Structures are given as C-alpha cells and as structure tokens.
Amino acid sequence: HYLRARCLLALGDLEGAAEEARLLTQKVKMKRLPGPVQSFVADVRGRLAEQSIHAVRSVITQPVGELQKAVPNLARMDTSDPPAGQDLPVILKQVGANIERFFRDFSTTAALEVIRQARLDSKGKSHSVRRAEMYYVFLQKRVQGRPMLEEYRGSGNGQLLQIGGLDEGYMVTSGFASSLIVFHPFFQSGMDYRYLGRQELAGRPVHVVGFAQRPEASQGLGVFRSTQRKGSAVVYVQGVAWISGEQFQVLRLRTDLLHPIKEVELNRQTSEIDYRPYHFVASPKTFFLPSRVTVSIEWGRRRLRNEHIFSRFWLFNVDVESEDPVERKAAEALRSAGSQ
C-alpha cells in the first residue's frame, strides 16, 4: 500500500494516494510504521484535509494554536525558543544568502511536469479531473534589477502550451520556483517574519518561519486575471517556510493570500511546495527546485485543486537572437528538452 501510494502521488492522484495510505494504517498501526512512512502518511492526509483547513488570517499575528489548526503540518511543532545562535535574524541572513545565490547562479532548466487539475464538490471530493504531461522551463531573467524566473510550459517540439484555464472551469497555476523570492535579501525589507518553532521534516530538523508581505513596502508576487469578470488584481502573499537547520535551505513552502481579493472573487489560493536538491553533472552547484506542489483554490463558488509533479530536470544554456528573446529562448529550451 505504501508503494502504491507513492506511485499514485507521483502521478498526481492525491486522493488515490490517500486511500492507499488509509488501507496501510488499517493493517499496521501508525506508531509501528517506520519514521519516513509515518511522515509520508501524515503529509498525504494533511494535503487532502480540505474540510479541516481553516483560513489563515495572519501568519504574523495569529496565535500559534490557531495556526496549527489552520495548517495541519504544524500540528507537532515545538514552539519553544530557537537554539542559541539560530535566532530569526541569523536564519534570515543565512537563508537569504542561499536564495540570493540561487537566483544569481541559476541557469535555464527544463523538467518533465505531470499536472492533475480537479474540480471539487462541497465535500472536497473531486468530480472532474484533467491530467496532462508536458515540459516545464524555468528561465532566468531580471526585471528592473530584481531577480526573477519566467516559467513556461510546452511540448517537445518547442510549442508553448496553455492548459485548462478559468474559461474551461479550471485554473492555471505556476511560479513555484519563483516563490522562494520571499526570502531574497532584496525583498526582506518589505516583509514581516516570525519564528514559529521547530519540527522534523522527512527525518531532518527544520526551523518553521512565518512570513507576510507589507503591500505598502513591497511589490506583489503575481497577478490574478479573471476572464469572466475581465479584471485583474495584484496578489500579495503570506505563508510558512520549513528551513533546514543545517544548510538553511527552504525544504517546504506554503503560501496563502495575504487577504481575499473580493474584486475578482478569489477567496483562497494556497500553495504547498516541496523542494528537493538537484545536482547536475554539467555544474558543480546544487539547486533546490520544486518536486511536488498542491494548490487549493476557492474562486467564487468554485473549489479547485491542482497537483504538480516535477521530475527529470535538464540544465542547459540557450543563446538566440529574436525580437522576442524571452519567448524564443523558452521555445529553444523546450525543443532542447524534448530531444533528450
């Protein structure tokens, strides 16, 4: 059941994985399972527990007990003070340096993406599902001196793709590698941070840090566009990060809306992103890139959930000349990925 659950999750079938996890714990008590298996089962349950997840009002000011109810993965957190020499300013400095290096040294990278888009009923069960496989390109760029990543989907022959959008009853979600920008030194002055506690994540000790943008001091991290209402709104976020206590790398990131955006009826958009280290033969550097993402959305009266699984990363450089160099470079990268 454990192996089936892992395979189903790798295919983007969260509900199937949760059912196999349930059958596993029927046969073997949770406390008798190996530590990594316990963590996996708890993680799958937490991601599927739509009914038990309450809105996060404010990661910065909300009592920790309320946050633990809103974020199931915080249930077993040690809320005592951090160890000596690892207080919040030290953590922010160390993780900020790592994120700065990531955006500075990152090269164009492609991956294979499996995406599963689901519409949910009032009980959180999926009743309409679309699944697709495609290539995903992370393209480095800078905007007005700020480090950013452009992210594109496409086919192996270099055709840029769009998948099920709002006009088809789904929502397109992306920007998961770029989400790490919330800890970049360039952005830290426009953010509030809060030390929440310590946990173990997949057997590794981690610091748990809350963060929230201050709209008057920072730029939005995205734009939500509604095709039905023909409007758009800047998105500001808050969230929780799980940061390794040894390397000061972000291993998991949860982002929520700073507040609902009523003008476009976006009531909730929660992303839970797992990062893992990737080492490329062509480079001595190791990059922490998204491996699994769950996005839960409440838009108007609709409830949606997207699952993204990334694998088979390729690292390369592409130099092209074009009137539209960014999109041309992305297309060249997609063709290069498709030929490998």
Side-chain angles (χ1 to χ4, degrees):
H1 291 299
Y2 173 61
L3 293 176
R4 286 174 180 169
R6 294 297 297 260
C7 290
L8 287 167
L9 192 61
L11 292 172
D13 187 354
L14 179 61
E15 292 178 335
E19 176 61 17
E20 291 295 338
R22 184 187 67 80
L23 294 172
L24 171 64
T25 54
Q26 277 187 345
K27 294 180 179 293
V28 183
K29 291 183 178 179
M30 186 75 160
K31 63 182 180 181
R32 296 186 62 185
L33 293 171
V37 180
Q38 289 187 35
S39 298
F40 174 81
V41 171
D43 184 49
V44 169
R45 286 175 174 173
R47 286 177 181 267
L48 193 63
E50 291 287 327
Q51 293 294 85
S52 66
I53 297 178
H54 305 288
V56 174
R57 297 199 315 273
S58 172
V59 170
I60 301 302
T61 61
Q62 203 168 345
V64 173
E66 290 185 12
L67 285 175
Q68 289 177 304
K69 291 180 181 179
V71 184
N73 289 327
L74 296 180
R76 298 183 180 181
M77 181 173 61
D78 176 1
T79 59
S80 61
D81 293 335
Q86 294 194 5
D87 55 8
L88 183 59
V90 172
I91 295 170
L92 293 177
K93 181 178 180 180
Q94 295 282 357
V95 74
N98 283 330
I99 299 302
E100 186 175 30
R101 279 192 292 271
F102 168 75
F103 280 94
R104 183 188 66 217
D105 299 340
F106 189 79
S107 297
T108 301
T109 298
L112 184 66
E113 179 191 25
V114 175
I115 179 171
R116 188 175 186 267
Q117 297 175 293
R119 294 201 292 260
L120 309 179
D121 60 22
S122 60
K123 296 181 179 180
K125 299 294 184 181
S126 59
H127 61 85
S128 181
V129 177
R130 296 175 58 160
R131 183 182 179 278
E133 265 187 42
M134 61 199 70
Y135 289 105
Y136 197 97
V137 167
F138 305 90
L139 190 67
Q140 186 190 48
K141 66 176 295 186
R142 299 186 73 84
V143 178
Q144 297 178 349
R146 296 183 294 124
M148 296 295 290
L149 294 177
E150 286 279 357
E151 302 182 31
Y152 292 88
R153 292 183 172 96
S155 62
N157 63 6
Q159 297 299 311
L160 300 178
L161 299 178
Q162 291 291 334
I163 56 172
L166 292 176
D167 53 343
E168 299 177 44
Y170 298 90
M171 186 176 291
V172 179
T173 48
S174 61
F176 311 121
S178 303
S179 297
L180 293 171
I181 203 76
V182 296
F183 286 99
H184 194 287
F186 186 94
F187 282 86
Q188 286 190 16
S189 61
M191 309 282 295
D192 289 322
Y193 300 96
R194 176 188 182 187
Y195 187 86
L196 297 174
R198 287 169 288 163
Q199 278 186 312
E200 281 201 357
L201 182 63
R204 303 174 66 178
V206 295
H207 298 289
V208 185
V209 174
F211 60 89
Q213 287 187 272
R214 284 184 278 115
E216 72 280 3
S218 62
Q219 297 181 352
L221 293 188
V223 176
F224 176 81
R225 293 181 175 87
S226 172
T227 54
Q228 293 188 2
R229 294 178 64 102
K230 296 183 179 180
S232 63
V234 177
V235 175
Y236 293 94
V237 302
Q238 60 179 326
V240 180
W242 286 259
I243 300 168
S244 63
E246 300 168 350
Q247 299 175 298
F248 294 96
Q249 296 282 359
V250 177
L251 303 181
R252 173 175 290 170
L253 190 73
R254 169 180 167 139
T255 64
D256 291 272
L257 297 176
L258 187 62
H259 47 72
I261 309 176
K262 297 189 181 299
E263 57 266 33
V264 291
E265 297 184 305
L266 185 61
N267 300 313
R268 177 186 170 202
Q269 182 169 309
T270 300
S271 298
E272 296 172 288
I273 312 167
D274 287 325
Y275 298 90
R276 56 165 289 190
Y278 289 90
H279 177 73
F280 300 98
V281 175
S283 171
K285 300 180 179 65
T286 297
F287 298 103
F288 281 74
L289 294 169
S291 62
R292 183 179 61 183
V293 183
T294 303
V295 186
S296 303
I297 302 152
E298 292 180 7
W299 174 59
R301 297 182 179 179
R302 299 183 185 181
R303 300 180 68 190
L304 310 170
R305 182 172 61 233
N306 293 349
E307 297 286 329
H308 306 260
I309 306 294
F310 297 94
S311 62
R312 296 176 60 191
F313 283 83
W314 297 281
L315 177 68
F316 51 85
N317 288 310
V318 180
D319 294 316
V320 296
E321 294 181 4
S322 169
E323 293 181 0
D324 191 351
V326 175
E327 289 199 2
R328 179 66 182 275
K329 191 171 183 180
E332 291 291 335
L334 288 165
R335 281 193 285 271
S336 178
S339 66
Q340 300 200 28

